[in-house]
Amino acid sequence: MTVLTFKHFVSADQVTPTDALTLIERAEAFKHGESRQFANPIYVSNLFFENSTRTHTSFEMAESKLGLSVISFDPTHSSVSKGETLSDTIKTLSAIGVNLAVIRHPQSDYYRPLLDASSTAILNAGDGAGQHPSQMMLDLMTIHEHFGHFTGLKVGIVGDLAHSRVARSDMTLLKQLGATVMFSGPRAWYTEDFAQAGPYVEIDDLMPQVDVLMLLRVQLERLDATTRAAFTATDYHQTYGVTLERAKQLQPQAIIMHPAPVNRDVELASELVESPQSRIFTQMHNGVFMRMAMLEAVIDANHF
Amino acid sequence: MTVLTFKHFVSADQVTPTDALTLIERAEAFKHGESRQFANPIYVSNLFFENSTRTHTSFEMAESKLGLSVISFDPTHSSVSKGETLSDTIKTLSAIGVNLAVIRHPQSDYYRPLLDASSTAILNAGDGAGQHPSQMMLDLMTIHEHFGHFTGLKVGIVGDLAHSRVARSDMTLLKQLGATVMFSGPRAWYTEDFAQAGPYVEIDDLMPQVDVLMLLRVQLERLDATTRAAFTATDYHQTYGVTLERAKQLQPQAIIMHPAPVNRDVELASELVESPQSRIFTQMHNGVFMRMAMLEAVIDANHF
Amino acid sequence: MTVLTFKHFVSADQVTPTDALTLIERAEAFKHGESRQFANPIYVSNLFFENSTRTHTSFEMAESKLGLSVISFDPTHSSVSKGETLSDTIKTLSAIGVNLAVIRHPQSDYYRPLLDASSTAILNAGDGAGQHPSQMMLDLMTIHEHFGHFTGLKVGIVGDLAHSRVARSDMTLLKQLGATVMFSGPRAWYTEDFAQAGPYVEIDDLMPQVDVLMLLRVQLERLDATTRAAFTATDYHQTYGVTLERAKQLQPQAIIMHPAPVNRDVELASELVESPQSRIFTQMHNGVFMRMAMLEAVIDANHF
């Protein structure tokens, strides 16, 4: 097996195409029942400074399946409320013996000051509008599971690009792995960095072309008040969303993905969430096994 | 042993008298040291959307004693705060691999849309003013432990019937098991559904008649502002409560029960909470073993 | 090995000099890899009614290393919010089967009504401005680890004495073990009880004398509004704090301690937090092993 060297796992930029394929292979092995035991107890804390059901619970499950010892940490009841910096918090956890910190934080690049602060390894579970490597990796796994490869696949990424950790993480590696990407949704969200990665295509032109339709959540809680007031769910659905009508234009082999939670009847008609072409709950299921592979890679790289 | 078939365990209506006796027998076995191991790891999440010490901690203890793997879930930090429905949350937990969800929620019948939503089994830990089957079952266990049977027992249920999950759950099964029920407390709370189950009796007439005096918590936090303002603890205690004086009218074999937390000197004189006739802390103790029996019944019915 | 008899472990007053040395010896053994297993499962709950990273996480780690079963309890979601007393909460946990409760609470002496309330043992993790025995014990361990003894050591305690649990806990036992204590910082905080334990010394006179410089956190969140407004971090640092300049006056064998979280550049120049003479992160590291020793002492004394 290829050896992965993730002292920390914080950014999609760290992941080479070879790494991605190695992690996918390992995650698929876990999905098919492989288990892993470690010689020493491994202590992990999950620090979620933003709300999350899926990511938090999925990491807890992955940790449980790997037999890690979870040391509970609640940011809202921590000394962070006494003004302690995140860096001092991690140094504290390190002194206490926490080997690995899984962190979600609203600030982009929050992890940079932490990388050399202590011996505790950092696994980034999402930073602001920046990186979300575990979501990227479970997306790639879900595509690979269906098609068996990436070369030549057409991936349409639709929606709130500007606020999406997921879009940025995914597009880079998808291209390196041989897929082409295109974008749709409100043009205001199609900013320069996306324009460099692939073309903007009207939603009705996009539907019949893609192998993978990757929808993004319209993150209402991140919109400013004016935008939110102007925004109606029905308008969005009719103009940019995947209606029942539009879904009929998909090719038979195409799949629908969404990082969830889905705004039903906004990004996607509610009936399609659990349709045969949807892989939305498969993504969540795969996420546990991918996170096992990522945790294992970090643990092994650190020789805990 | 009788086989129980609780795919979900959500309502007192599911429990036949035979089921109740089987669960009590199993809970008593756990209390006397019997243990149970499962072939596969069982993943359980506790979703408490309402505050609770007793019920939440008691389920955590029961799960620990059964060796279940608890995947932590905090509703206040979950995507429910992004507007996700409870049904989508459960589907998510199911995709992640959670076998069993123990849920307490303020909305009556919250569980109905969940029963066919996914493969995750639901154990209802209380819904609004509706059902609270684990409290019912631990009440029945505590009565059975003392008397050895139910036939012919006279059970007086006293207090805030209107807001009580417990009263509704208990009265149905107690009658099926051969007990008679009667009610006391403020007449406004003695609504039609209780009138069909048993008579209203003034508290001073009730005391010398009963084998079991089942007090209910006056749920101040559920009263409307007007009622709460009019209500004084002292008045309630003198008019409807179990004062030291009234307690002397109890027969020697009678027991006092209360689901707790007790409003001391409101429903019950403080000195009586730990009196020889009180079974209040016994109820809490029994609750752990009854919840073990209920969890086991659901796990076995689902062949996890 | 000396037998310790801590049915509860709530106050520094309980700890004789012999006990302290026995606990330190045991904690050092744990630090050097010794482990301990118990014949029966031990159930512990951590009740933190005040925010804390270090103490809470450190106890969780100690419990994990001892193989205890942690039954989770969140005060903010408990029946305490329905007005239940702490005493009734502990009786409830006791009835549910919790053997040991680790409690941090803002009210001084909160633990007194709990000691005879139930069979659950209490380990005090800090009460208001009162006791904080596990911090005291890890401080003593850290001093002992460096010097190998206490006799004749000069310990300077500097800062917010009035609001400090730590200062009161430490000074008593340090003196019994043969050390001398002196105090510095704002004179208003040098109250009568400290005056009886040792002299007040200006910070610049203190620096060259001490073997141990024990800094206290200026607890901004406990100051009243007027004091907080008058208080500036820069003033404090220049007048009472350990500046880079002042630190040069320390003897070479002297060590700097602080219970953390440190207000960087208030009590201590930021650069000194991780300097060679600082033992601040060592204290956190030692805390885990000392808490193992304290938990073990309570468990053994109760024959759980």
Side-chain angles (χ1 to χ4, degrees), chain C residues 252-279:
Chain C
Q253 87 286 1
I255 58 173
I256 301 172
M257 296 171 65
H258 190 296
V262 179
N263 295 307
R264 286 170 181 267
D265 296 322
V266 182
E267 299 102 48
L268 183 63
S270 183
E271 287 173 55
L272 296 172
V273 173
E274 287 153 280
S275 67
Q277 288 184 287
S278 166
R279 289 297 175 278

PDB file of all heavy atoms in Angstrom, chain C residues 252-279:
ATOM      1  N   PRO C 252      18.828  30.729  38.727  1.00  0.00           N
ATOM      2  CA  PRO C 252      18.803  29.757  37.633  1.00  0.00           C
ATOM      3  C   PRO C 252      17.944  28.519  37.915  1.00  0.00           C
ATOM      4  O   PRO C 252      17.362  27.946  36.997  1.00  0.00           O
ATOM      5  CB  PRO C 252      20.280  29.362  37.446  1.00  0.00           C
ATOM      6  CG  PRO C 252      21.042  29.989  38.555  1.00  0.00           C
ATOM      7  CD  PRO C 252      20.197  31.024  39.199  1.00  0.00           C
ATOM      8  N   GLN C 253      17.864  28.115  39.180  1.00  0.00           N
ATOM      9  CA  GLN C 253      17.087  26.908  39.488  1.00  0.00           C
ATOM     10  C   GLN C 253      15.587  27.210  39.646  1.00  0.00           C
ATOM     11  O   GLN C 253      14.785  26.284  39.767  1.00  0.00           O
ATOM     12  CB  GLN C 253      17.617  26.230  40.760  1.00  0.00           C
ATOM     13  CG  GLN C 253      17.035  26.730  42.080  1.00  0.00           C
ATOM     14  CD  GLN C 253      17.570  28.112  42.484  1.00  0.00           C
ATOM     15  OE1 GLN C 253      18.372  28.720  41.772  1.00  0.00           O
ATOM     16  NE2 GLN C 253      17.105  28.634  43.603  1.00  0.00           N
ATOM     17  N   ALA C 254      15.226  28.496  39.631  1.00  0.00           N
ATOM     18  CA  ALA C 254      13.821  28.849  39.903  1.00  0.00           C
ATOM     19  C   ALA C 254      12.905  28.447  38.745  1.00  0.00           C
ATOM     20  O   ALA C 254      13.321  28.416  37.587  1.00  0.00           O
ATOM     21  CB  ALA C 254      13.709  30.350  40.162  1.00  0.00           C
ATOM     22  N   ILE C 255      11.665  28.140  39.098  1.00  0.00           N
ATOM     23  CA  ILE C 255      10.670  27.802  38.062  1.00  0.00           C
ATOM     24  C   ILE C 255       9.473  28.735  38.161  1.00  0.00           C
ATOM     25  O   ILE C 255       9.159  29.286  39.217  1.00  0.00           O
ATOM     26  CB  ILE C 255      10.207  26.328  38.162  1.00  0.00           C
ATOM     27  CG1 ILE C 255       9.595  26.027  39.553  1.00  0.00           C
ATOM     28  CG2 ILE C 255      11.355  25.371  37.853  1.00  0.00           C
ATOM     29  CD1 ILE C 255       8.973  24.643  39.662  1.00  0.00           C
ATOM     30  N   ILE C 256       8.812  28.925  36.992  1.00  0.00           N
ATOM     31  CA  ILE C 256       7.612  29.759  36.906  1.00  0.00           C
ATOM     32  C   ILE C 256       6.396  28.853  36.729  1.00  0.00           C
ATOM     33  O   ILE C 256       6.387  28.002  35.845  1.00  0.00           O
ATOM     34  CB  ILE C 256       7.689  30.721  35.700  1.00  0.00           C
ATOM     35  CG1 ILE C 256       8.918  31.628  35.815  1.00  0.00           C
ATOM     36  CG2 ILE C 256       6.411  31.534  35.549  1.00  0.00           C
ATOM     37  CD1 ILE C 256       9.171  32.467  34.556  1.00  0.00           C
ATOM     38  N   MET C 257       5.383  29.072  37.556  1.00  0.00           N
ATOM     39  CA  MET C 257       4.159  28.277  37.449  1.00  0.00           C
ATOM     40  C   MET C 257       2.946  29.200  37.295  1.00  0.00           C
ATOM     41  O   MET C 257       2.969  30.356  37.703  1.00  0.00           O
ATOM     42  CB  MET C 257       3.996  27.397  38.693  1.00  0.00           C
ATOM     43  CG  MET C 257       5.100  26.351  38.835  1.00  0.00           C
ATOM     44  SD  MET C 257       5.073  25.475  40.421  1.00  0.00           S
ATOM     45  CE  MET C 257       3.520  24.598  40.297  1.00  0.00           C
ATOM     46  N   HIS C 258       1.890  28.663  36.700  1.00  0.00           N
ATOM     47  CA  HIS C 258       0.644  29.422  36.500  1.00  0.00           C
ATOM     48  C   HIS C 258      -0.447  28.395  36.254  1.00  0.00           C
ATOM     49  O   HIS C 258      -0.250  27.469  35.470  1.00  0.00           O
ATOM     50  CB  HIS C 258       0.797  30.352  35.283  1.00  0.00           C
ATOM     51  CG  HIS C 258      -0.326  31.335  35.121  1.00  0.00           C
ATOM     52  ND1 HIS C 258      -1.628  30.953  34.868  1.00  0.00           N
ATOM     53  CD2 HIS C 258      -0.343  32.692  35.152  1.00  0.00           C
ATOM     54  CE1 HIS C 258      -2.392  32.044  34.779  1.00  0.00           C
ATOM     55  NE2 HIS C 258      -1.641  33.113  34.944  1.00  0.00           N
ATOM     56  N   PRO C 259      -1.611  28.549  36.889  1.00  0.00           N
ATOM     57  CA  PRO C 259      -2.652  27.524  36.723  1.00  0.00           C
ATOM     58  C   PRO C 259      -3.310  27.555  35.338  1.00  0.00           C
ATOM     59  O   PRO C 259      -3.994  26.603  34.976  1.00  0.00           O
ATOM     60  CB  PRO C 259      -3.673  27.868  37.812  1.00  0.00           C
ATOM     61  CG  PRO C 259      -3.477  29.327  38.067  1.00  0.00           C
ATOM     62  CD  PRO C 259      -2.014  29.597  37.842  1.00  0.00           C
ATOM     63  N   ALA C 260      -3.098  28.676  34.597  1.00  0.00           N
ATOM     64  CA  ALA C 260      -3.662  28.849  33.262  1.00  0.00           C
ATOM     65  C   ALA C 260      -5.207  28.858  33.319  1.00  0.00           C
ATOM     66  O   ALA C 260      -5.767  28.332  34.265  1.00  0.00           O
ATOM     67  CB  ALA C 260      -3.160  27.781  32.307  1.00  0.00           C
ATOM     68  N   PRO C 261      -5.891  29.455  32.329  1.00  0.00           N
ATOM     69  CA  PRO C 261      -5.304  30.109  31.164  1.00  0.00           C
ATOM     70  C   PRO C 261      -4.546  31.390  31.538  1.00  0.00           C
ATOM     71  O   PRO C 261      -5.016  32.163  32.374  1.00  0.00           O
ATOM     72  CB  PRO C 261      -6.512  30.434  30.285  1.00  0.00           C
ATOM     73  CG  PRO C 261      -7.676  30.480  31.225  1.00  0.00           C
ATOM     74  CD  PRO C 261      -7.359  29.505  32.301  1.00  0.00           C
ATOM     75  N   VAL C 262      -3.383  31.582  30.930  1.00  0.00           N
ATOM     76  CA  VAL C 262      -2.568  32.772  31.143  1.00  0.00           C
ATOM     77  C   VAL C 262      -3.155  33.951  30.357  1.00  0.00           C
ATOM     78  O   VAL C 262      -3.522  33.791  29.196  1.00  0.00           O
ATOM     79  CB  VAL C 262      -1.122  32.523  30.644  1.00  0.00           C
ATOM     80  CG1 VAL C 262      -0.263  33.776  30.831  1.00  0.00           C
ATOM     81  CG2 VAL C 262      -0.494  31.332  31.336  1.00  0.00           C
ATOM     82  N   ASN C 263      -3.266  35.110  31.007  1.00  0.00           N
ATOM     83  CA  ASN C 263      -3.466  36.339  30.248  1.00  0.00           C
ATOM     84  C   ASN C 263      -2.074  36.792  29.791  1.00  0.00           C
ATOM     85  O   ASN C 263      -1.327  37.394  30.571  1.00  0.00           O
ATOM     86  CB  ASN C 263      -4.085  37.435  31.125  1.00  0.00           C
ATOM     87  CG  ASN C 263      -5.487  37.098  31.592  1.00  0.00           C
ATOM     88  OD1 ASN C 263      -6.367  36.781  30.808  1.00  0.00           O
ATOM     89  ND2 ASN C 263      -5.706  37.162  32.904  1.00  0.00           N
ATOM     90  N   ARG C 264      -1.738  36.476  28.564  1.00  0.00           N
ATOM     91  CA  ARG C 264      -0.395  36.793  28.063  1.00  0.00           C
ATOM     92  C   ARG C 264      -0.148  38.299  28.134  1.00  0.00           C
ATOM     93  O   ARG C 264      -1.027  39.096  27.801  1.00  0.00           O
ATOM     94  CB  ARG C 264      -0.231  36.291  26.628  1.00  0.00           C
ATOM     95  CG  ARG C 264      -0.067  34.757  26.541  1.00  0.00           C
ATOM     96  CD  ARG C 264      -0.163  34.269  25.097  1.00  0.00           C
ATOM     97  NE  ARG C 264      -0.025  32.800  25.020  1.00  0.00           N
ATOM     98  CZ  ARG C 264       1.129  32.171  24.810  1.00  0.00           C
ATOM     99  NH1 ARG C 264       2.237  32.866  24.671  1.00  0.00           N
ATOM    100  NH2 ARG C 264       1.162  30.849  24.759  1.00  0.00           N
ATOM    101  N   ASP C 265       1.039  38.659  28.562  1.00  0.00           N
ATOM    102  CA  ASP C 265       1.440  40.070  28.716  1.00  0.00           C
ATOM    103  C   ASP C 265       0.633  40.813  29.790  1.00  0.00           C
ATOM    104  O   ASP C 265       0.608  42.033  29.812  1.00  0.00           O
ATOM    105  CB  ASP C 265       1.395  40.831  27.382  1.00  0.00           C
ATOM    106  CG  ASP C 265       2.408  40.269  26.383  1.00  0.00           C
ATOM    107  OD1 ASP C 265       3.514  39.907  26.825  1.00  0.00           O
ATOM    108  OD2 ASP C 265       2.086  40.170  25.186  1.00  0.00           O
ATOM    109  N   VAL C 266      -0.021  40.091  30.661  1.00  0.00           N
ATOM    110  CA  VAL C 266      -0.613  40.700  31.855  1.00  0.00           C
ATOM    111  C   VAL C 266       0.163  40.131  33.051  1.00  0.00           C
ATOM    112  O   VAL C 266       1.092  40.759  33.539  1.00  0.00           O
ATOM    113  CB  VAL C 266      -2.128  40.443  31.965  1.00  0.00           C
ATOM    114  CG1 VAL C 266      -2.715  41.144  33.195  1.00  0.00           C
ATOM    115  CG2 VAL C 266      -2.842  40.922  30.695  1.00  0.00           C
ATOM    116  N   GLU C 267      -0.160  38.930  33.482  1.00  0.00           N
ATOM    117  CA  GLU C 267       0.601  38.323  34.568  1.00  0.00           C
ATOM    118  C   GLU C 267       2.039  38.022  34.149  1.00  0.00           C
ATOM    119  O   GLU C 267       2.956  38.062  34.968  1.00  0.00           O
ATOM    120  CB  GLU C 267      -0.031  36.996  35.006  1.00  0.00           C
ATOM    121  CG  GLU C 267      -1.425  37.091  35.519  1.00  0.00           C
ATOM    122  CD  GLU C 267      -2.437  36.654  34.481  1.00  0.00           C
ATOM    123  OE1 GLU C 267      -2.272  35.595  33.865  1.00  0.00           O
ATOM    124  OE2 GLU C 267      -3.407  37.411  34.286  1.00  0.00           O
ATOM    125  N   LEU C 268       2.203  37.662  32.878  1.00  0.00           N
ATOM    126  CA  LEU C 268       3.482  37.120  32.410  1.00  0.00           C
ATOM    127  C   LEU C 268       3.715  37.549  30.968  1.00  0.00           C
ATOM    128  O   LEU C 268       2.786  37.490  30.146  1.00  0.00           O
ATOM    129  CB  LEU C 268       3.417  35.581  32.483  1.00  0.00           C
ATOM    130  CG  LEU C 268       4.642  34.762  32.107  1.00  0.00           C
ATOM    131  CD1 LEU C 268       5.812  35.051  33.048  1.00  0.00           C
ATOM    132  CD2 LEU C 268       4.318  33.267  32.127  1.00  0.00           C
ATOM    133  N   ALA C 269       4.950  37.979  30.667  1.00  0.00           N
ATOM    134  CA  ALA C 269       5.286  38.305  29.279  1.00  0.00           C
ATOM    135  C   ALA C 269       5.053  37.073  28.407  1.00  0.00           C
ATOM    136  O   ALA C 269       5.424  35.955  28.784  1.00  0.00           O
ATOM    137  CB  ALA C 269       6.741  38.741  29.187  1.00  0.00           C
ATOM    138  N   SER C 270       4.422  37.296  27.263  1.00  0.00           N
ATOM    139  CA  SER C 270       4.016  36.173  26.415  1.00  0.00           C
ATOM    140  C   SER C 270       5.183  35.247  26.081  1.00  0.00           C
ATOM    141  O   SER C 270       5.043  34.020  26.111  1.00  0.00           O
ATOM    142  CB  SER C 270       3.372  36.708  25.129  1.00  0.00           C
ATOM    143  OG  SER C 270       2.914  35.642  24.337  1.00  0.00           O
ATOM    144  N   GLU C 271       6.352  35.842  25.829  1.00  0.00           N
ATOM    145  CA  GLU C 271       7.520  35.023  25.451  1.00  0.00           C
ATOM    146  C   GLU C 271       7.962  34.058  26.542  1.00  0.00           C
ATOM    147  O   GLU C 271       8.684  33.095  26.271  1.00  0.00           O
ATOM    148  CB  GLU C 271       8.719  35.926  25.130  1.00  0.00           C
ATOM    149  CG  GLU C 271       8.609  36.660  23.826  1.00  0.00           C
ATOM    150  CD  GLU C 271       9.749  37.656  23.644  1.00  0.00           C
ATOM    151  OE1 GLU C 271      10.913  37.222  23.729  1.00  0.00           O
ATOM    152  OE2 GLU C 271       9.464  38.851  23.471  1.00  0.00           O
ATOM    153  N   LEU C 272       7.573  34.349  27.792  1.00  0.00           N
ATOM    154  CA  LEU C 272       8.036  33.518  28.907  1.00  0.00           C
ATOM    155  C   LEU C 272       7.153  32.305  29.165  1.00  0.00           C
ATOM    156  O   LEU C 272       7.536  31.408  29.913  1.00  0.00           O
ATOM    157  CB  LEU C 272       8.134  34.362  30.181  1.00  0.00           C
ATOM    158  CG  LEU C 272       9.163  35.492  30.143  1.00  0.00           C
ATOM    159  CD1 LEU C 272       9.034  36.389  31.367  1.00  0.00           C
ATOM    160  CD2 LEU C 272      10.584  34.924  30.049  1.00  0.00           C
ATOM    161  N   VAL C 273       5.967  32.282  28.523  1.00  0.00           N
ATOM    162  CA  VAL C 273       5.022  31.186  28.792  1.00  0.00           C
ATOM    163  C   VAL C 273       5.660  29.836  28.490  1.00  0.00           C
ATOM    164  O   VAL C 273       5.449  28.863  29.209  1.00  0.00           O
ATOM    165  CB  VAL C 273       3.715  31.372  27.983  1.00  0.00           C
ATOM    166  CG1 VAL C 273       2.806  30.161  28.125  1.00  0.00           C
ATOM    167  CG2 VAL C 273       2.985  32.638  28.440  1.00  0.00           C
ATOM    168  N   GLU C 274       6.447  29.801  27.410  1.00  0.00           N
ATOM    169  CA  GLU C 274       7.086  28.528  27.048  1.00  0.00           C
ATOM    170  C   GLU C 274       8.610  28.585  27.195  1.00  0.00           C
ATOM    171  O   GLU C 274       9.332  27.878  26.510  1.00  0.00           O
ATOM    172  CB  GLU C 274       6.673  28.144  25.626  1.00  0.00           C
ATOM    173  CG  GLU C 274       5.228  27.668  25.601  1.00  0.00           C
ATOM    174  CD  GLU C 274       4.548  27.874  24.259  1.00  0.00           C
ATOM    175  OE1 GLU C 274       4.107  29.018  23.974  1.00  0.00           O
ATOM    176  OE2 GLU C 274       4.466  26.907  23.502  1.00  0.00           O
ATOM    177  N   SER C 275       9.085  29.443  28.092  1.00  0.00           N
ATOM    178  CA  SER C 275      10.529  29.544  28.317  1.00  0.00           C
ATOM    179  C   SER C 275      11.028  28.336  29.101  1.00  0.00           C
ATOM    180  O   SER C 275      10.232  27.606  29.703  1.00  0.00           O
ATOM    181  CB  SER C 275      10.817  30.825  29.106  1.00  0.00           C
ATOM    182  OG  SER C 275      10.278  30.695  30.413  1.00  0.00           O
ATOM    183  N   PRO C 276      12.356  28.113  29.115  1.00  0.00           N
ATOM    184  CA  PRO C 276      12.890  26.933  29.828  1.00  0.00           C
ATOM    185  C   PRO C 276      12.527  26.892  31.310  1.00  0.00           C
ATOM    186  O   PRO C 276      12.381  25.825  31.881  1.00  0.00           O
ATOM    187  CB  PRO C 276      14.412  27.071  29.655  1.00  0.00           C
ATOM    188  CG  PRO C 276      14.591  27.912  28.437  1.00  0.00           C
ATOM    189  CD  PRO C 276      13.421  28.845  28.401  1.00  0.00           C
ATOM    190  N   GLN C 277      12.383  28.055  31.936  1.00  0.00           N
ATOM    191  CA  GLN C 277      12.045  28.036  33.374  1.00  0.00           C
ATOM    192  C   GLN C 277      10.546  27.852  33.631  1.00  0.00           C
ATOM    193  O   GLN C 277      10.142  27.574  34.749  1.00  0.00           O
ATOM    194  CB  GLN C 277      12.564  29.322  34.045  1.00  0.00           C
ATOM    195  CG  GLN C 277      14.096  29.301  34.176  1.00  0.00           C
ATOM    196  CD  GLN C 277      14.635  30.505  34.917  1.00  0.00           C
ATOM    197  OE1 GLN C 277      14.652  31.603  34.376  1.00  0.00           O
ATOM    198  NE2 GLN C 277      15.078  30.301  36.143  1.00  0.00           N
ATOM    199  N   SER C 278       9.741  28.005  32.601  1.00  0.00           N
ATOM    200  CA  SER C 278       8.288  27.846  32.775  1.00  0.00           C
ATOM    201  C   SER C 278       7.929  26.374  32.958  1.00  0.00           C
ATOM    202  O   SER C 278       8.431  25.497  32.261  1.00  0.00           O
ATOM    203  CB  SER C 278       7.556  28.402  31.558  1.00  0.00           C
ATOM    204  OG  SER C 278       6.208  27.969  31.571  1.00  0.00           O
ATOM    205  N   ARG C 279       7.043  26.093  33.886  1.00  0.00           N
ATOM    206  CA  ARG C 279       6.508  24.743  34.074  1.00  0.00           C
ATOM    207  C   ARG C 279       4.999  24.722  33.790  1.00  0.00           C
ATOM    208  O   ARG C 279       4.290  23.816  34.228  1.00  0.00           O
ATOM    209  CB  ARG C 279       6.771  24.253  35.509  1.00  0.00           C
ATOM    210  CG  ARG C 279       8.220  23.924  35.818  1.00  0.00           C
ATOM    211  CD  ARG C 279       8.747  22.781  34.967  1.00  0.00           C
ATOM    212  NE  ARG C 279      10.175  22.543  35.187  1.00  0.00           N
ATOM    213  CZ  ARG C 279      11.154  23.243  34.603  1.00  0.00           C
ATOM    214  NH1 ARG C 279      10.878  24.238  33.770  1.00  0.00           N
ATOM    215  NH2 ARG C 279      12.416  22.939  34.848  1.00  0.00           N
TER     216      ARG C 279
END
